[in-house]
Amino acid sequence: MSDKLDDYIDAVASALSLPIEPAWKPAVKMNLEVSLRMARLVDEFTLPDESEPASIYVA
């Protein structure tokens, strides 16, 4: 998966015309790995069919 993430980072940076210095690439990759792990936890959490959306909070 590491090589795929490196390729993904390069492709997205190129698509967005976002220069990423080589020294920053490990930090970008680590952040992406953590974000993907958190997203996986949310995605794997099953909600019962009778779940209702939360109310809108207005301050």
Side-chain angles (χ1 to χ4, degrees):
M1 184 169 187
S2 296
D3 296 333
K4 288 182 182 181
L5 283 181
D6 289 329
D7 293 342
Y8 179 76
I9 292 167
D10 292 337
V12 171
S14 176
L16 296 174
S17 298
L18 181 67
I20 299 178
E21 294 182 30
W24 282 97
K25 248 184 162 178
V28 171
K29 184 176 178 179
M30 185 174 14
N31 185 289
L32 182 57
E33 288 172 338
V34 170
S35 296
L36 289 170
R37 277 192 303 231
M38 290 189 294
R40 190 173 301 118
L41 288 174
V42 172
D43 186 51
E44 290 173 352
F45 187 82
T46 54
L47 293 173
D49 288 336
E50 50 277 344
S51 293
E52 297 283 332
S55 301
I56 297 174
Y57 177 79
V58 178

